[in-house]
Amino acid sequence: MNWLNELYTSQKREPKKDLERSLVEAIFRVYDRFPRMGLRERVGQQDMSLDIADAYINGRNAMIEAGVGIGKSFGYLIPGLLINQVSRQPIIIATSSIQLSEQIHKDLRIIGSRLGFTTVRSVVGKGMGQYACRNRAAELFNPDDPGSPFSTLAQRVLNFEIDERADIKGGIRDAEWSNVSVNDCKFERCHHKNGCLFYDMRAKINARVNEIDFIIVNQDLLIQDLMKKKEGTRGLITERPALIVIDEAHNLEAKVRDARTLEFTFRGICRILDDTVQLLMKKSGDKSLLSQSKFLKKCVERIFKQIGTDLLRAAKQDSDRIKVSEIKETPLTRVSHVLKDLSLSLSVLTSRNEREIDDVYEAMNGLISLIDVLARAEDNSHMGKQTSAGSHGQHLSQRY
């Protein structure tokens, strides 16, 4: 490990040119040691590592096409480990699947151990639907019928036999798992947060810079994080990573497009409004918020009635998407103003339940954007947005 300590020392005392030499030499030294570590270097692997190091040193993005069998995970994990050692900042790796995330986590432990890194603090972050929720399991468990399938599943979750979906051997149907999976986490307000794998994961991926070394997430989670930060709300992943690696980046465009498509149902909008009023009333006790919420729900109900009419009119069309006709008899401009006032109140709200506020604030801003599009109140810079109704039940989708 002496050569790794020398690399870290060089970062503190040497200018950029000397750091480049030290990092490049360290990469060469790693690959020279491959035979002694029982590893075989693959063609192009070392070049990939050097290209990543060059991009880091010069503050540039790098797009690398790696052929099949090149060993790309080691190709970016090796410079990642060295850069983490140099910078003392986390490395973020975004993948396109849970299986790939798990494999990269195993590869990280293998190469880290063989290179002499005694402790690499790492976490794999998955979507909330992959984790079991003990709060929901407690509500589902029926002591009068402990032998029922739902009660049995809930009991296993409560007994810490199941922390995530992957713990169930032989798998489980989506309809069954959805009864106990995380879908609306209470975070700090949850009585089951201690020992909750989802809560622990979310804390680790958003840890302080010096508390985590590698954060492995799926691309969807990285996209959500970047969107939240762009909108001014608290991100999901730690700030100031030394390096972000996006594996299988050819999937990224479609995932970004999906993430920028918002869907709204009448029930979902009512829930957003209820959550907003609940948070604001806790702070101010302003009962006028109830009348505002009632007004907004009536307006939204009219909008969805019109959507129903549009869907019936277009029932014979061979398409699952139709254009929403002009909204009439609903004061959309006033609706937008009321929503923006509520959003402003949320933005200045402070609480120990900060994550809950951020989620509601983000949902409220999405709703404002939808109403503004329907009211044709957007300026020319937002003309690229599309609003349509889906034929599978009454819902609106909006694409940015």
Side-chain angles (χ1 to χ4, degrees), residues 52 72-81 90-97 100-105 107-108 111 120 122-126 205 213-222 237-238 241-248:
I52 291 172
K72 60 181 180 180
S73 59
F74 279 14
Y76 58 69
L77 286 174
I78 288 169
L81 283 161
I91 309 297
I92 296 173
I93 299 173
T95 71
S96 61
S97 68
L100 184 56
S101 294
E102 297 283 9
Q103 184 58 51
I104 290 168
H105 197 231
D107 289 345
L108 174 63
I111 193 64
V120 179
S122 58
V123 60
V124 176
K126 305 173 187 176
I205 67 173
D213 298 316
F214 275 78
I215 298 170
I216 304 170
V217 297
N218 58 45
Q219 292 174 7
D220 302 284
L221 197 58
L222 176 65
I237 306 176
T238 188
L243 187 71
I244 298 177
V245 177
I246 300 176
D247 200 342
E248 296 195 338

Side-chain angles (χ1 to χ4, degrees), residues 30 35 49 93 101 201 210 234 257 276 298 313-314 388 395:
V30 167
S49 296
I93 299 173
S101 294
M201 178 275 293
N210 60 348
R234 184 183 179 186
R257 192 184 303 116
T276 300
K298 282 186 177 180
R313 191 184 306 119
S388 60
H395 75 272

Side-chain angles (χ1 to χ4, degrees), residues 316-330:
K316 295 181 179 180
Q317 292 182 12
D318 186 20
S319 173
D320 63 350
R321 299 281 177 193
I322 66 165
K323 228 177 174 182
V324 177
S325 60
E326 183 182 354
I327 305 295
K328 298 177 181 178
E329 300 179 4
T330 303

